[in-house]
Amino acid sequence: MYVTFSRKIPLTTMEAIKKKMQAMKVEKDNAMDRSDACEQAAKDAKARASKSEEEVAELVKKSQQLEVELDKTAEELQTTTQQLGEKEKALLAAELEINALNRRVQGL
């Protein structure tokens, strides 16, 4: 369907309007392309962010596990060190007793 105007529009004005419409269409197409590129970039960024968040969560979990293992190892070290101290005291007491017995034997 064509719209007719009551007065005639000069051909150069119509050509100018057509050129302007074509330029606007090209501008719109370029804007749509930029919009699509931005949407894809945003989608990619969200995917990377999600992957990074998963990696962070895994690292936090691993860190917590390592902290638990460190606590256990520190407790074991403390217990072993305490036992070693007790064994050294017992060894020292045994050596003193042996020395005392040796002196008694030599005195006989």
Side-chain angles (χ1 to χ4, degrees):
M1 178 163 119
Y2 293 93
V3 176
T4 57
F5 297 98
S6 60
R7 62 184 190 135
K8 290 188 175 184
I9 299 176
L11 186 59
T12 56
T13 305
M14 284 298 287
E15 288 175 1
I17 292 172
K18 284 182 182 179
K19 282 185 180 180
K20 182 67 174 178
M21 288 177 63
Q22 286 175 346
M24 290 174 73
K25 182 182 182 303
V26 168
E27 189 177 327
K28 180 200 76 140
D29 290 343
N30 289 339
M32 291 299 290
D33 290 344
R34 286 192 308 271
S35 172
D36 291 343
C38 288
E39 285 178 1
Q40 185 61 44
K43 183 178 177 182
D44 294 344
K46 285 181 183 178
R48 285 192 311 273
S50 176
K51 183 177 179 181
S52 295
E53 288 173 358
E54 289 174 5
E55 289 175 1
V56 167
E58 288 177 21
L59 290 172
V60 166
K61 183 178 178 181
K62 188 172 185 175
S63 173
Q64 290 171 344
Q65 290 173 344
L66 289 172
E67 287 177 3
V68 168
E69 288 179 25
L70 176 63
D71 290 343
K72 287 181 183 178
T73 304
E75 288 176 11
E76 289 175 4
L77 175 62
Q78 183 179 5
T79 302
T80 304
T81 303
Q82 186 178 19
Q83 289 173 349
L84 176 62
E86 292 171 2
K87 299 289 183 181
E88 286 176 342
K89 287 179 185 176
L91 175 63
L92 184 59
E95 287 176 345
L96 290 174
E97 188 175 337
I98 289 173
N99 288 339
L101 290 174
N102 282 338
R103 283 192 301 268
R104 281 180 68 194
V105 167
Q106 288 176 358
L108 292 176

